[in-house]
């Protein structure tokens, strides 16, 4: 076992009295302080523990109040903060946890933007209620006659202000760079909330209460959304349309692309979570083909509970790519070195995906009459 000391140099101003404790993937994110409480001293706190070497820890600090209500650490604007990540070495060591605040009723609404925001937002009617679509196109362009990228988890795609954990894909920054290199595109990002597990997972499992809703979601994208985009920005042929997402968003992207290959010519499958219902996707995709579809498939090499498990996840990703190879037109497998399962990793890999997608497109008919600077 390796000895780890988790050190909080200073608690956020205004921290109420209570029991500080550590939770994370290794504990199933439970809110029971037992065995993982910090000793508070002065302005900070400390926790000593033993952990198996090779463990990949993703952790957060929580605070149990005297009435048993539990607060989780947040960012300086009261929103959700990214987890602290640690690769446990043989010799152990000290892990410094800098806390910026606690999640509160502000929910990060005042969080400043560090990346380009969308240019506009739509609220469209969907079977599950109002669906927000966040839209971006390059500077100096009106958005027409462009390749179209539809993305899931739209609250995390562009800027940090509305993002789930204070991190974003910085998608508009990357896309603007491609536009300046002569490869512009239009991005439509679909936000999601508490029903994410139902909307994105096509198979019945605990998190969607055994009521999958991915087919309803994909049907809406392929009909209502694409029609609305065509009316506003002009029609885009399927071979110039892409669908992309991460984790469960990667799962629904691959499922959707194989379900109706005629809808999207390219799939951006980032860190796909294919495990629901005992890896039902792998059984479902057997015999399905999408002969004109290009697939970007990627994974970080730290997306598991241990280094050994992460190596196996990378191996399984290569196996998935090999299984897809005879079913589609092209598979590009990319492994992110030192990448965890988070927005920072997807932001790092997104520019390469954009370049691969846009560089592989056949120029549209009449592309010489660019909409730039209209």
């Amino acid at each position: 076992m390796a000895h780890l000391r988790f050190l909080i140099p200073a608690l956020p101003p205004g921290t109420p009295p209570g029991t500080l404790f550590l939770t994370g993937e290794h504990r199933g994110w439970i809110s029971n302080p037992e065995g993982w409480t910090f000793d508070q001293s002065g302005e900070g706190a400390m926790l000593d523990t033993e952990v198996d070497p090779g463990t990949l820890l993703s952790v957060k600090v929580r605070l149990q109040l005297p009435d048993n209500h539990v607060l989780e650490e947040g960012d300086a604007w009261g929103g959700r903060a990214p987890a602290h990540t640690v690769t446990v070495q043989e010799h152990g060591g000290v892990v410094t946890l800098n806390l910026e605040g606690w999640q509160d009723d502000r929910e990060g609404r005042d969080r400043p933007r560090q990346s380009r925001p969308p240019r506009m937002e739509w609220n469209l009617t969907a079977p599950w209620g109002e669906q927000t679509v966040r839209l971006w196109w390059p500077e100096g362009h009106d958005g027409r006659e462009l390749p179209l990228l539809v993305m899931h988890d739209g609250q995390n795609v562009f800027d940090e202000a509305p993002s789930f954990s204070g991190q974003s894909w910085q998608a508009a920054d990357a896309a603007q760079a491609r536009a300046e290199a002569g490869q512009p595109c239009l991005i439509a990002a679909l936000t999601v909330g508490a029903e994410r597990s139902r909307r994105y997972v096509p198979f019945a499992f605990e998190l969607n209460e055994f009521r999958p809703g991915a087919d309803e979601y994909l049907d809406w994208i392929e009909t209502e959304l694409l029609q609305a985009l065509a009316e506003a920005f002009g029609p885009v042929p399927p071979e110039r349309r892409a669908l992309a997402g991460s984790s469960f968003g990667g799962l629904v992207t691959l499922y959707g692309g194989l379900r109706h290959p005629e809808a999207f010519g390219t799939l951006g499958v980032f860190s796909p979570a294919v495990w629901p219902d005992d890896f039902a996707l792998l059984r479902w995709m057997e015999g399905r083909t999408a002969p004109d579809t290009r697939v970007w498939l990627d994974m970080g090499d730290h997306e598991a509970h241990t280094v050994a498990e992460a190596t196996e996840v990378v191996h399984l990703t290569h196996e998935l790519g090999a299984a897809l190879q005879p079913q589609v037109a092209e598979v590009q497998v990319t492994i992110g070195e030192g990448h965890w399962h988070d927005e920072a990793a997807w932001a790092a890999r997104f520019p390469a995906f954009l370049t691969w997608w846009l560089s592989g497109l056949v120029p549209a008919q009449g592309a010489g009459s660019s909409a730039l600077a209209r």
Side-chain angles (χ1 to χ4, degrees), residues 133-136 146-152 157-158 169 171 175 184-190 225-226 229 236 240-245 253 264 266-268 270 350 353-354 357-358:
V133 184
R134 310 181 80 214
L135 295 159
W136 181 90
L146 295 182
L148 169 65
L149 172 60
V150 176
M151 298 186 68
H152 313 295
V157 165
F158 298 114
W169 288 51
C185 68
L186 170 67
I187 301 177
L190 309 176
L225 176 66
L226 292 182
L229 290 168
V236 179
R240 295 175 64 79
R241 298 196 296 242
L243 185 66
T253 294
F264 292 92
T266 299
L267 308 176
F270 291 75
F350 185 68
F353 161 73
L354 278 182
W357 168 47
L358 294 168

Side-chain angles (χ1 to χ4, degrees), residues 165-191:
S165 63
Q167 296 178 316
S168 81
W169 288 51
Q170 304 173 11
D173 291 25
Q176 182 63 40
R178 292 318 311 156
E180 292 169 3
Q183 295 178 330
C185 68
L186 170 67
I187 301 177
L190 309 176
T191 63

Side-chain angles (χ1 to χ4, degrees), residues 4-8 18-23 26-27 30-41 44-50 60-64 97:
L4 287 185
R5 169 167 289 179
F6 290 94
L7 179 65
I8 302 173
T19 303
L20 283 169
F21 65 98
L22 193 74
T23 191
H26 66 297
R27 303 189 63 211
I30 64 172
S31 286
N32 182 351
E34 186 176 354
W36 291 89
T37 59
F38 285 85
D39 293 322
Q40 297 188 48
S41 177
M46 184 173 61
L47 165 64
D48 288 301
T49 190
E50 304 289 325
K60 288 188 178 183
V61 177
R62 290 180 179 166
L63 177 66
Q64 186 180 62
L97 306 176

